[in-house]
């Protein structure tokens, strides 16, 4: 899979992120949706990558710098046509490597608590993430699970 920094201008990535936001809204009340839209992903403290297989958008992930030693995974999504094909694991390895290169000591994330998010939570656990308290301005929320790992 080719993973590259994405300028967030292509129609494929816009469609995948639109699907991502719609899916989050389907499973969580508005105040519990922490997924970012295109404009919010274009902030200078966020790097966004897309993953491509044979010219087809397979998935995406973003890394937000919280401080010099702490990053947050955002907008991790696998395109429907590529589910259960290793895309998420490859994107996770990439973002972990990038976080390490940046000198981060900790990487955290927020995901959903409902059963539909169980595969995502299992993936994060396989990569060493454990549940933690809310971080970076998040608050306790029955619809959220907060996870972190040291690097």
């Amino acid at each position: 899979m080719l993973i590259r920094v994405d300028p967030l201008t292509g129609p494929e990535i816009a469609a995948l992120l639109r699907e991502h936001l719609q899916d989050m809204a389907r499973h969580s009340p508005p105040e519990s949706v922490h997924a970012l839209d295109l404009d919010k992903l274009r902030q200078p403290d966020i790097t966004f990558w897309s993953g491509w297989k044979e010219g087809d958008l397979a998935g995406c992930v973003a890394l937000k710098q919280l401080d010099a030693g702490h990053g947050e995974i955002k907008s991790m999504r696998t395109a429907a046509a590529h589910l259960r094909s290793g895309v998420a694991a490859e994107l996770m390895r990439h973002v972990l490597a990038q976080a390490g290169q940046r000198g981060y000591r900790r990487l955290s994330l927020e995901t959903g608590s409902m059963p539909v998010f169980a595969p995502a939570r299992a993936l994060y656990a396989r990569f060493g993430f454990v549940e933690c308290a809310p971080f970076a301005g998040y608050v306790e929320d029955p619809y959220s699970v907060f996870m972190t790992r040291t690097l």
Side-chain angles (χ1 to χ4, degrees):
M1 182 166 68
L2 170 66
I3 300 174
R4 65 178 191 216
V5 173
D6 194 295
L8 295 161
T9 56
E12 301 96 333
I13 201 64
L16 183 61
L17 290 170
R18 198 168 34 254
E19 175 187 308
H20 182 58
L21 287 168
Q22 290 168 347
D23 201 34
M24 298 303 103
R26 192 170 26 257
H27 298 290
S28 303
E31 66 275 9
S32 297
V33 174
H34 303 290
L36 303 176
D37 64 19
L38 281 170
D39 287 335
K40 290 179 183 166
L41 285 166
R42 290 185 180 118
Q43 300 307 306
D45 58 347
I46 297 176
T47 304
F48 186 90
W49 293 275
S50 55
W52 299 80
K53 286 188 170 187
E54 299 177 10
D56 190 32
L57 177 61
C60 61
V61 66
L63 180 58
K64 179 178 182 177
Q65 181 169 327
L66 299 176
D67 62 42
H70 191 186
E72 179 184 4
I73 295 174
K74 300 293 292 180
S75 300
M76 186 143 180
R77 181 77 177 193
T78 301
H82 295 276
L83 288 171
R84 290 173 287 289
S85 68
V87 168
E90 203 163 333
L91 289 168
M92 180 60 70
R93 284 189 289 277
H94 180 79
V95 80
L96 285 168
Q98 292 294 315
Q101 289 175 8
R102 293 177 183 195
Y104 292 168
R105 294 177 306 281
R106 177 165 301 285
L107 197 55
S108 302
L109 61 92
E110 179 275 338
T111 190
S113 64
M114 294 73 69
V116 70
F117 295 101
R121 293 191 307 271
L123 172 80
Y124 302 138
R126 278 197 313 274
F127 279 89
F129 286 82
V130 296
E131 289 192 28
C132 65
F135 60 92
Y138 287 106
V139 297
E140 287 291 341
D141 182 338
Y143 293 94
S144 290
V145 172
F146 304 96
M147 301 181 83
T148 196
R149 67 163 279 180
T150 55
L151 300 174

